[in-house]
Amino acid sequence: MKLKRTLLGCTMMLSVAAFALGSPASANDELQKLQGDANQWVMPTGNYANQRYSALDQINATNASKLHPVWSFSTGVLRGHEGGPLVIGNTMYVHTPFPNNVFALDLNDNGKIIWKYEPRQDPSVIAVMCCDTVNRGVAYGDGKIILNQADATTVALDAKTGKELWHVKNGDPAKGETMTMAPMIVKDKVYVGISGGEFGTQGRFTAYNMKDGSLAWNAYSVGPDEGMLVDPVKTTNMGKPIGKDSSISTWQGDQWKTGGGSTWGWYSYDPALNLVYYGTGNPSTWNPTQRPGDNKWSMTIFARDADTGMAKWVYQMTPHDEWDYDGINEMILADIPVKGKQTKALVHFDRNGFGYTLNRETGELLVAEKYDPAVNWATHVDMQTGRPQVVAQYSTQQNGEDKNSRNVCPAALGSKDQQPAAFSPKTGLFYVPTNHVCMDYEPFKVSYTAGQPYVGATLSMYPPKGETNLGNFIAWDAGQGKIVWSDPEPFSVWSGALATAGDIVFYGTLDGYLKAVDIKSGKELYKYKTPSGIIGNVTSYTHNGKQFIAVLSGVGGWAGIGMAAGLGNDTDGLGAVGAYKQLSNYTQLGGVMTVFGLD
Amino acid sequence: MRNTSLLAFSGLVGAGLLLAIAGSPGAKAENDPVYEVQAGRVDQHTFNGYRRYGESCLRCHGPDGAGSSYAPNLTESLKHLSYDDVVNVITNGRQNVTKSQNNVMPAFGTTEDVILYMDDIYGYLKARSDDKLPRGRPKRIGDDS
């Protein structure tokens, strides 16, 4: 929750009892306090609860039409720009994709560059980055800026000078291990994850000590109990102890060693429960026949003790993945009524097209409903077992190797990818950028070579039959599991949303628009075409008492594969319905941060 | 190397001529691998090329070789590169890293799923490049589906 300075804001926040922060007695008081200050944007996720909510309301539904760009900043890098800037006091920190430059900009001096950090990295790492050279941003804490470089090095910089204070190798690019995710700092530790699910890496969630970069602990997503930091008795799944060897018993032989379960999404933290939450990615390979079993704990929501890393509970969304429904999407923490009962909830919009609401204290599954009506691979989630009920026609396992499973919705990029949703404590609703894309998926046998793609499926993607839009931006009631409103978008919405106390939701589009829509209806209030497609997240802050909105544009990422020629198969006659508007006809590459304000 | 369809061969010759005019070293060599397309259906090698492409190339070069925001459109590239050029780049990779470009192609020289099927992948992409094969999953000659 963001604390607002005005009385009005405070009253509102209290009346809806958004998300209570824990006792201020915890070790890192600074960040806990700062994340409640709407004037700054101190962590990539907005606050620990990952709500991407701003309590600022100078820019509101009444005056949003008067927004305009007030300044912009070229990052000098062409590739896909995910994430967004931080604002700490009068300094803005802007990051770039590879080579992962970081800029500190002086807001008191028209964005003058205070310092620039330019890492030296072996460019060969680019070749093992799955889907473009994206980076989702830096974290701030303890006077340091923490950067995860593409080459799996975590670096601490002096926030004032940009001088490197320490660095640590968190992975080996020669094995396909890279880093794209934004770190999260809690107390005296920084949490980082690893990418490389398409290279057969063994995913893990790692904590380093902020002081010197020494390893605090490391928790694998798959493998033996000790390495995963799980307790066969105390760690629960659907309310029951997970038991001994819960992961390795669901893999054939040593396959867990190349089992994936990467950890590159956005993390969240509940100070009151002292739990940190994240999702694990797809099992490797994409060919399900090659890895029999549930492949635990890939595709899983983890709740871990923030100090020790021990898992409190787990919930696997897509056992034995057959579609690359990479489960890394963010967990949003909010206190909301769920089916009439006030609940400490965790809300998660999975790649697999289901919007999950769980009790974040116990891991109890409360709601699992489709947040895109096109989703067809499963009829529903069995609320007793937690397992999705897979439709045979769309099961790439049941159809088998070398068989093409057609019209599976969603596509591998999911009903939503990493682009984070927002939550408004004022409305109690979630605002979700979504993909509206289906696929044909054909698995085949592959062999594992360290540092080489370990994929084992080919796919084609296209909008659902008879439809032309590839994306929607929706409002979601996580207590009921229902869409409240839905704005169609011609392309997938690949930008992180921002909800504000000004009754607006902001998001960016792949064709480059920053849009402000009415939080109640989704009605468009303002749009502006930035220099390139937007896959970054929208941020708000104040400077000298005035509210601003900032967003990175710079098309790329997984979304960039549709750049050249659009998605899909022109043999199916689908082109006739106008779906394949080539993104390259609308936008070109280039990283620019644009800042918007009122006069 | 395989060497089959006359139809495909004439297409390649056409491309070879264009390359010659452009002054490219990559003229069509007699034993370059080729593809077979009959009434929109492809031979097993070309089909396998499509799948291997999906395995190792798609995440950068996009669906159907059409390119992405960060890797070139191969249906264009193969109009300008010889078979030997293509084999060389796939085997050894290449780097184009400058102030403005950060393009790195990995070396697949030790990747079985690529190197064993090099000619299949080339044939598939060449068929795409020659406009003999539309986007999407090709059907196999003799297949019902």
Side-chain angles (χ1 to χ4, degrees):
Chain A
M1 157 169 98
K2 294 259 173 183
L3 292 176
K4 189 165 186 307
R5 288 166 305 163
T6 71
L7 249 180
L8 181 66
C10 276
T11 321
M12 282 173 180
M13 302 295 288
L14 289 174
S15 64
V16 292
F19 169 57
L21 297 175
S23 100
S26 310
N28 200 330
D29 284 345
E30 183 202 13
L31 263 183
Q32 276 206 41
K33 195 164 144 244
L34 286 177
Q35 61 135 11
D37 179 5
N39 298 299
Q40 311 184 61
W41 192 270
V42 299
M43 53 186 74
T45 52
N47 63 6
Y48 276 137
N50 216 337
Q51 292 176 342
R52 306 197 57 75
Y53 176 74
S54 171
L56 300 174
D57 62 1
Q58 284 178 16
I59 299 168
N60 54 50
T62 310
N63 61 21
S65 62
K66 298 192 177 67
L67 274 168
H68 54 83
V70 290
W71 63 282
S72 56
F73 175 77
S74 168
T75 67
V77 179
L78 288 177
R79 303 273 289 250
H81 283 59
E82 290 185 346
L86 299 184
V87 176
I88 318 286
N90 291 312
T91 307
M92 175 181 277
Y93 298 92
V94 179
H95 69 284
T96 77
F98 185 92
N100 306 129
N101 298 334
V102 183
F103 299 92
L105 305 181
D106 186 353
L107 296 176
N108 286 335
D109 194 0
N110 299 306
K112 186 184 173 199
I113 298 168
I114 301 168
W115 56 257
K116 176 189 179 185
Y117 176 75
E118 189 170 3
R120 297 268 167 239
Q121 299 185 71
D122 180 349
S124 62
V125 68
I126 293 170
V128 290
M129 300 196 75
C130 158
C131 320
D132 206 358
T133 52
V134 295
N135 184 286
R136 301 194 185 84
V138 295
Y140 169 83
D142 194 24
K144 302 180 178 85
I145 292 290
I146 306 290
L147 165 71
N148 285 336
Q149 294 179 184
D151 65 1
T153 305
T154 298
V155 186
L157 308 174
D158 185 316
K160 290 261 183 303
T161 64
K163 187 174 159 257
E164 185 182 314
L165 299 173
W166 53 256
H167 71 269
V168 60
K169 282 302 281 183
N170 184 54
D172 181 3
K175 291 186 197 157
E177 293 176 342
T178 58
M179 287 171 97
T180 58
M181 59 87 68
M184 173 172 263
I185 295 165
V186 171
K187 303 183 197 176
D188 58 348
K189 295 184 182 68
V190 54
Y191 304 132
V192 302
I194 197 88
S195 305
E198 277 61 54
F199 292 84
T201 59
Q202 190 188 356
R204 55 193 180 267
F205 176 85
T206 308
Y208 293 103
N209 293 307
M210 278 295 288
K211 190 166 165 276
D212 55 7
S214 58
L215 180 71
W217 41 259
N218 187 42
Y220 284 99
S221 308
V222 295
D225 292 350
E226 315 79 69
M228 285 198 305
L229 300 188
V230 296
D231 185 314
V233 179
K234 289 184 186 151
T235 304
T236 61
N237 173 36
M238 297 295 290
K240 297 191 188 88
I242 58 170
K244 199 171 176 313
D245 298 331
S246 60
S247 171
I248 56 174
S249 63
T250 63
W251 291 88
Q252 197 170 64
D254 279 351
Q255 285 186 337
W256 55 268
K257 287 183 178 167
T258 52
S262 53
T263 49
W264 54 273
W266 308 93
Y267 299 168
S268 48
Y269 168 59
D270 182 335
L273 297 174
N274 199 38
L275 292 174
V276 57
Y277 303 92
Y278 66 99
T280 61
N282 55 288
S284 307
T285 106
W286 288 11
N287 174 8
T289 305
Q290 248 176 287
R291 45 168 172 75
D294 276 354
N295 310 134
K296 290 172 178 171
W297 295 99
S298 67
M299 303 299 208
T300 295
I301 301 172
F302 269 90
R304 291 187 182 276
D305 183 286
D307 298 320
T308 65
M310 281 302 287
K312 179 160 188 217
W313 57 262
V314 290
Y315 169 64
Q316 188 179 41
M317 297 165 287
T318 315
H320 187 64
D321 170 57
E322 310 170 38
W323 311 267
D324 182 35
Y325 292 152
D326 197 351
I328 60 83
N329 290 358
E330 78 285 0
M331 313 298 157
I332 304 175
L333 315 183
D335 293 357
I336 51 169
V338 178
K339 296 182 171 164
K341 191 180 163 203
Q342 190 66 17
T343 306
K344 280 178 175 287
L346 174 153
V347 175
H348 169 76
F349 301 93
D350 196 58
R351 291 267 277 268
N352 72 14
F354 284 88
Y356 294 89
T357 306
L358 292 91
N359 179 319
R360 70 173 178 270
E361 191 166 8
T362 62
E364 184 191 355
L365 181 63
L366 304 171
V367 175
E369 296 291 341
K370 297 172 182 179
Y371 63 93
D372 180 350
V375 173
N376 64 10
W377 67 279
T379 53
H380 65 285
V381 173
D382 182 315
M383 300 304 284
Q384 298 309 311
T385 63
R387 294 183 77 95
Q389 301 305 295
V390 176
V391 176
Q393 180 189 351
Y394 304 116
S395 166
T396 75
Q397 165 78 45
Q398 292 175 48
N399 293 337
E401 280 180 343
D402 303 327
K403 293 288 185 319
N404 195 27
S405 296
R406 306 198 65 193
N407 301 312
V408 184
C409 308
L413 38 69
S415 294
K416 176 180 146 333
D417 202 275
Q418 59 77 26
Q419 60 277 25
F423 169 72
S424 167
K426 273 181 79 175
T427 64
L429 299 179
F430 293 78
Y431 302 92
V432 193
T434 74
N435 307 314
H436 193 54
V437 184
C438 304
M439 67 175 171
D440 296 350
Y441 189 105
E442 181 170 359
F444 52 87
K445 195 167 172 52
V446 283
S447 47
Y448 173 77
T449 308
Q452 298 292 349
Y454 186 50
V455 179
T458 189
L459 42 117
S460 351
M461 297 186 274
Y462 41 80
K465 291 280 183 209
E467 299 190 49
T468 58
N469 60 308
L470 291 164
N472 293 296
F473 188 80
I474 67 166
W476 175 257
D477 180 340
Q480 301 292 330
K482 288 196 167 61
I483 295 172
V484 179
W485 52 255
S486 179
D487 288 346
E489 282 286 345
F491 299 104
S492 295
V493 188
W494 214 276
S495 146
L498 171 76
T500 78
D503 299 326
I504 312 177
V505 188
F506 292 92
Y507 66 96
T509 68
L510 280 182
D511 47 346
Y513 287 99
L514 174 83
K515 291 191 176 179
V517 302
D518 187 293
I519 206 164
K520 299 261 170 31
S521 63
K523 186 178 160 252
E524 187 177 292
L525 302 170
Y526 171 76
K527 70 173 176 180
Y528 175 83
K529 186 150 179 170
T530 63
S532 180
I534 298 176
I535 58 171
N537 305 337
V538 188
T539 300
S540 188
Y541 65 95
T542 64
H543 182 247
N544 289 338
K546 289 176 91 174
Q547 183 185 0
F548 295 96
I549 302 292
V551 71
L552 278 170
S553 55
V555 77
W558 233 130
I561 68 162
M563 258 296 276
L567 299 172
N569 181 346
D570 52 13
T571 59
D572 287 348
L574 285 165
V577 297
Y580 306 119
K581 301 178 192 107
Q582 297 182 16
L583 192 51
S584 56
N585 290 346
Y586 293 80
T587 191
Q588 287 294 308
L589 304 182
V592 171
M593 191 190 57
T594 309
V595 178
F596 299 81
L598 299 168
D599 283 325
Chain B
M1 306 251 172
R2 71 211 151 75
N3 220 332
T4 44
S5 152
L6 257 178
L7 177 71
F9 187 72
S10 58
L12 287 169
V13 172
L17 283 175
L18 284 175
L19 290 171
I21 291 160
S24 158
K28 169 78 184 81
E30 206 161 297
N31 56 353
D32 284 4
V34 291
Y35 53 86
E36 190 176 350
V37 182
Q38 285 179 14
R41 291 167 180 262
V42 300
D43 64 302
Q44 177 58 33
H45 285 289
T46 305
F47 183 79
N48 188 48
Y50 159 77
R51 290 202 315 183
R52 297 299 161 185
Y53 174 86
E55 160 70 16
S56 299
C57 320
L58 183 147
R59 263 144 308 283
C60 290
H61 289 286
D64 317 311
S68 74
S69 65
Y70 47 91
N73 177 346
L74 296 175
T75 66
E76 283 303 314
S77 299
L78 263 69
K79 290 182 166 68
H80 309 289
L81 296 175
S82 72
Y83 170 68
D84 289 342
D85 292 339
V86 172
V87 170
N88 182 34
V89 173
I90 293 177
T91 306
N92 300 311
R94 76 168 163 197
Q95 295 200 351
N96 176 15
V97 179
T98 64
K99 193 73 187 162
S100 59
Q101 293 296 328
N102 286 305
N103 292 334
V104 178
M105 161 101 178
F108 287 98
T110 59
T111 307
E112 284 180 19
D113 286 329
V114 174
I115 223 72
L116 295 179
Y117 310 108
M118 180 77 85
D119 289 357
D120 293 358
I121 295 169
Y122 177 84
Y124 162 69
L125 288 171
K126 194 64 188 162
R128 288 278 303 126
S129 176
D130 291 346
D131 276 334
K132 295 287 191 270
L133 192 59
R135 295 190 58 177
R137 178 182 188 267
K139 288 178 175 144
R140 272 170 289 205
I141 295 166
D143 248 15
D144 295 335
S145 59

